[in-house]
Amino acid sequence: MKEVIQKIMELKEEKNAVIVSHHYAPRELHEISDILGDSRGVYEEVKNVDADIIVAVMPYFFAEIIKAMHSNKKVIVPVISECPVANNSALSFDKINEFKKKYPNIPLVCYTTSPFEVKILADALAFPGEVVEVIENINSDKVLFVGERNCSEEVLMKCTKEIILYPQNPVCNVYSSATIDDVNKFKDECNGNLCLMVHPECRKEILEIADYVCGTGEMHNLIKNANDDCTYILGVEEGFYQRVKGEFIDKKIHHLSPFLVCNAFKVFRLGDVLDSLTYLKEEVIIDNAIAKRMEKLLDNL
């Protein structure tokens, strides 16, 4: 493993490359990443990347966003991994276009975890954990929302506007795997002050009782800056749990469910990154016309 890491580091320097990883990726890849974070964190940091090559260790839909931000750079993914939500057939361009036509003059907010071409139909994009805030800042009393189904429940619970949901919003089966029984188990077993932090794609009954419903980047900041004696129960993907467990060894942190594991992120390995840098594959290719139309949406994220 040390030899592989050394070769990766040498190739990064030789080819003026940076490695950008979502923190759901396996822990071994955290160590070699120049940028590591959730969707929002990666987006903010990658904007100012000064490199010829960007290695995106994340599902293809987000690598496409990075390519749209850096059309003049070579963006490669070690493995072409598809997210079941972002690639759900219910979110096809034609279907979302028809949905939008039914409600003329009502702005559409689209989840970033969606097909690349569908995003150009949106009036605004929203990262996980930010959908409510984005919708509340839209200058309209009515808003359309296309995204993940459990996330839609948070929108209905918290938004003050009239929300018209796309009726076929797909569900994230990973986050839906956590149940209220998992929460109750920790309530029974753990003594002291519990703090339940969950991703907005968790089930509605969990969202309703959580202390925080937010993106994992915000969770990281909350845990990092907390001075309390909380026991943190995280309803998050296993990769992020492993990150904070390793970073904050003095804090009491538990994973809500062992089933919160997303295989779309787990396919990446150190050897894949090495091959990707060696042979500059797989290159992310996007339609330049679509990328141009997305520039304003990306700037406003």
Side-chain angles (χ1 to χ4, degrees), residues 8-28:
I8 288 171
M9 297 306 179
E10 290 171 358
L11 282 170
K12 279 203 303 180
E13 184 173 355
E14 176 188 324
K15 299 189 177 186
N16 190 24
V18 296
I19 298 175
V20 181
S21 298
H22 195 289
H23 52 205
Y24 288 2
R27 185 72 188 277
E28 65 183 29

Side-chain angles (χ1 to χ4, degrees), residues 125-141:
L125 302 178
F127 283 124
E130 301 180 9
V131 179
V132 172
E133 182 181 4
V134 170
I135 289 176
E136 290 295 272
N137 280 284
I138 295 287
N139 186 24
S140 174
D141 293 331

Side-chain angles (χ1 to χ4, degrees), residues 71-134:
S71 58
N72 61 326
K73 300 183 187 299
K74 186 182 288 290
V75 178
I76 55 179
V77 289
V79 178
I80 295 179
S81 175
E82 303 288 8
C83 167
V85 172
N87 291 85
N88 195 288
S89 60
L91 299 180
S92 70
F93 181 91
D94 290 342
K95 289 178 180 178
I96 303 305
N97 196 32
E98 284 301 311
F99 171 66
K100 188 174 181 180
K101 285 179 179 178
K102 290 179 183 178
Y103 304 97
N105 303 317
I106 299 179
L108 170 66
V109 172
C110 184
Y111 206 35
T112 50
T113 309
S114 60
F116 186 66
E117 66 274 11
V118 165
K119 295 182 179 77
I120 65 172
L121 295 170
D123 297 282
L125 302 178
F127 283 124
E130 301 180 9
V131 179
V132 172
E133 182 181 4
V134 170

